[in-house]
Amino acid sequence: MKALFHLAAEVQDIFTEKSWKFCFIGALAVQRWGEPRLTTDVDITLFTGFGKEEPFIDELLRHYQGRRDDTKEFALKN
């Protein structure tokens, strides 16, 4: 769990440095504001604006490897 909080802090630092608007959601946020539960990922909402997602996706893929071969296309579609 400690590694998960470090990852969340790392992502937060990147988003803050870029002045991106975001918020943590899901189980990680629940750890802070609600009932504790186990989780293995970090859920974040990133406010990009409709149709303006691609530069954000590109920047994130510079920092992190996607879990799919078509990560960028999947993100743009979904």
Side-chain angles (χ1 to χ4, degrees):
M1 182 63 81
K2 190 174 184 178
L4 195 61
F5 284 107
H6 287 291
L7 175 62
E10 178 182 296
V11 172
Q12 178 176 290
D13 289 345
I14 292 168
F15 288 9
T16 300
E17 178 184 309
K18 303 232 170 255
S19 297
W20 291 353
K21 296 179 181 178
F22 70 97
C23 66
F24 290 101
I25 60 173
L28 189 68
V30 170
Q31 297 295 329
R32 173 63 175 96
W33 301 108
E35 294 294 321
R37 68 180 201 208
L38 293 178
T39 186
T40 59
D41 63 1
V42 176
D43 301 305
I44 302 172
T45 294
L46 177 60
F47 301 96
T48 64
F50 293 112
K52 300 177 184 174
E53 299 89 355
E54 191 166 4
F56 293 87
I57 295 166
D58 289 340
E59 183 64 24
L60 288 169
L61 289 174
R62 277 194 273 284
H63 292 277
Y64 302 101
Q65 181 178 355
R67 295 184 293 183
R68 307 169 53 109
D69 291 337
D70 65 340
T71 297
K72 181 176 178 176
E73 294 78 17
F74 181 83
L76 287 168
K77 181 180 176 186
N78 296 289

